[in-house]
Amino acid sequence: MRDYHIPVMLKQCIDFIAPKPGGIYVDATIGGGGHSLGLLESCPDIHLIGFDQDSEALLEAHKTLFPYQDRVELIQANFSRMRTELAFRQIKTVSGILFDLGVSSHQLETPERGFSFDLDSPLDMRMDQSSDLTAEIVLNELSQKALTRIFYDYGEELNASRIAGKIVKIREEQPFKTTGDLVKVIESVVGKGTKASLKTKARIFQALRIYVNQELEILEQALKDAINIIEPGGRIVVLSYHSLEDRIVKNVFRSAAEGEEQTSEASFLNSTKKRKLQLLTRKPLQADDEEINNNPHSRSVKLRAAEKI
Ligand SMILES: C[S@@+](CC[C@H](N)C(=O)[O-])C[C@H]1O[C@@H](n2cnc3c(N)ncnc32)[C@H](O)[C@@H]1O
């Protein structure tokens, strides 16, 4: 499991979720099962439901959690379907939910998946290998304007328009096939071997990955669904790895903590607000230096936790 992915801020996640015997807990992004294993080891008498859209991740999680197999159910689905999948199993509320967003080290380091700009591989970037949209289709078929928006909105890349322009020009001669083709274009715009060009490559690859997997579109609603599913006293913990994700988490948590205006006539007269969450982290927590040294993947993590009221 540790070769597949080292779970980030594991102790803090377990402490915040604080699993209790008999409770049902959801790992919305089970990956290699590292966080789930931690939850089960800290309190074996729970029922754990794990989601992942990647079939390879579920195979790995199955191996990791084998000793607890009678307490675990694994579901291959996007976490945007969590409410439906739980309702289908007659589960109305759960005691805690963990989201560990983004990709696993295994996904990043597997050349055929196309997530890494360090490896020359097919332009894939799908977490769910059965979905139709790949990075290759995006680069070869979207307009210059659409590509610019993706690089700017999802990568916050200032050279978005120049890079998109170059892509559109080059693909007239030769369609994009590999991550190496894309790296060459980025380097032709921002240069090679500098810290700045490394950052641009990371931002462009992040932007494409977010677009291919529709990561931000589904996050807000999935978090709202999760908050509704958790029982009073239950906890939600979210690990995010870039500012766009963290902003969504912060805003959803904040509005659930401040409460939304009631729309019914009776509550309008009293102008009450129904608060759903008590924040457990005013500011997001980050990994300490020791963890970052041992696991560079934890460098950018932000952990937010809250309790259902
Ligand atoms: C950072 S890894 C999780 C690692 C896991 N916590 C562990 O300890 O091994 C994120 C995982 O979530 C999955 N994932 C990301 N977004 C998802 C979504 N919207 N629905 C379902 N799975 C998702 C990815 O396929 C990946 O396996």
Side-chain angles (χ1 to χ4, degrees):
M1 175 267 293
R2 293 187 81 78
D3 288 343
Y4 188 95
H5 183 88
I6 303 172
V8 172
M9 298 187 80
L10 178 62
K11 181 173 179 327
Q12 293 90 333
C13 289
I14 296 170
D15 288 349
F16 276 123
I17 294 277
K20 308 230 170 8
I24 301 176
Y25 293 85
V26 172
D27 186 338
T29 51
I30 200 159
H35 283 104
S36 285
L37 181 65
L39 291 173
L40 283 154
E41 282 175 345
S42 81
C43 186
D45 190 18
I46 60 173
H47 185 70
L48 188 127
I49 300 177
F51 286 85
D52 208 292
Q53 54 185 334
D54 181 346
S55 55
E56 278 179 22
L58 291 174
L59 283 177
E60 184 67 20
H62 178 74
K63 279 192 255 165
T64 306
L65 304 175
F66 193 70
Y68 298 95
Q69 58 173 322
D70 54 336
R71 318 211 62 82
V72 173
E73 182 170 3
L74 299 177
I75 301 171
Q76 185 177 358
N78 195 298
F79 58 58
S80 59
R81 288 186 46 79
M82 183 189 301
R83 214 165 80 163
T84 315
E85 293 289 342
L86 293 179
F88 184 64
R89 290 162 178 78
Q90 321 289 333
I91 298 172
K92 293 202 181 79
T93 59
V94 300
S95 308
I97 303 182
L98 171 71
F99 288 85
D100 180 15
L101 300 171
V103 281
S104 64
S105 305
H106 178 79
Q107 286 167 325
L108 265 179
E109 288 155 16
T110 303
E112 309 81 83
R113 305 298 296 267
F115 287 113
S116 170
F117 55 83
D118 287 332
L119 309 161
D120 192 17
S121 48
L123 279 160
D124 189 321
M125 297 200 191
R126 291 168 301 169
M127 289 190 211
D128 172 359
Q129 292 114 313
S130 68
S131 78
D132 294 330
L133 189 65
T134 62
E136 183 178 337
I137 295 175
V138 174
L139 286 180
N140 288 315
E141 296 186 9
L142 264 60
S143 69
Q144 181 173 341
K145 197 169 158 202
L147 288 172
T148 304
R149 276 241 79 90
I150 292 171
F151 299 153
Y152 191 75
D153 289 352
Y154 297 154
E156 299 178 295
E157 172 54 46
L158 296 178
N159 296 294
S161 143
R162 284 171 64 209
I163 293 170
K166 200 96 188 240
I167 288 170
V168 169
K169 204 161 164 217
I170 286 178
R171 76 187 186 195
E172 281 168 13
E173 310 284 318
Q174 175 109 35
F176 281 78
K177 283 260 167 255
T178 69
T179 51
D181 296 340
L182 177 58
V183 166
K184 269 189 224 142
V185 173
I186 300 171
E187 288 177 347
S188 75
V189 174
V190 295
K192 198 176 168 175
T194 63
K195 224 174 174 175
S197 89
L198 206 69
K199 283 195 172 159
T200 296
K201 282 185 255 181
R203 287 194 285 255
I204 296 291
F205 272 66
Q206 170 188 295
L208 273 173
R209 193 199 86 202
I210 290 175
Y211 183 78
V212 166
N213 296 288
Q214 306 286 298
E215 290 175 41
L216 299 183
E217 279 78 358
I218 55 161
L219 184 57
E220 181 175 337
Q221 190 54 48
L223 291 172
K224 287 181 178 168
D225 286 351
I227 291 167
N228 285 332
I229 294 165
I230 296 173
E231 65 196 12
R235 305 264 178 94
I236 177 167
V237 175
V238 185
L239 302 177
S240 62
Y241 295 86
H242 56 78
S243 55
L244 300 167
E245 271 173 353
D246 182 56
R247 199 175 306 153
I248 294 174
V249 183
K250 181 172 87 178
N251 290 338
V252 172
F253 274 25
R254 189 194 285 151
S255 60
E258 285 171 355
E260 281 155 24
E261 290 288 353
Q262 298 289 63
T263 47
S264 76
E265 197 181 329
S267 50
F268 173 73
L269 289 172
N270 297 325
S271 72
T272 53
K273 280 186 166 189
K274 180 152 170 48
R275 297 180 62 231
K276 291 186 178 169
L277 284 185
Q278 169 82 43
L279 299 185
L280 301 175
T281 48
R282 290 257 148 226
K283 290 223 152 75
L285 305 185
Q286 293 184 271
D288 60 23
D289 291 345
E290 192 187 343
E291 177 164 5
I292 294 170
N293 278 338
N294 292 334
N295 179 15
H297 183 77
S298 65
R299 183 178 301 282
S300 54
V301 71
K302 293 219 164 94
L303 182 157
R304 291 186 188 268
E307 183 171 303
K308 182 80 176 280
I309 295 173

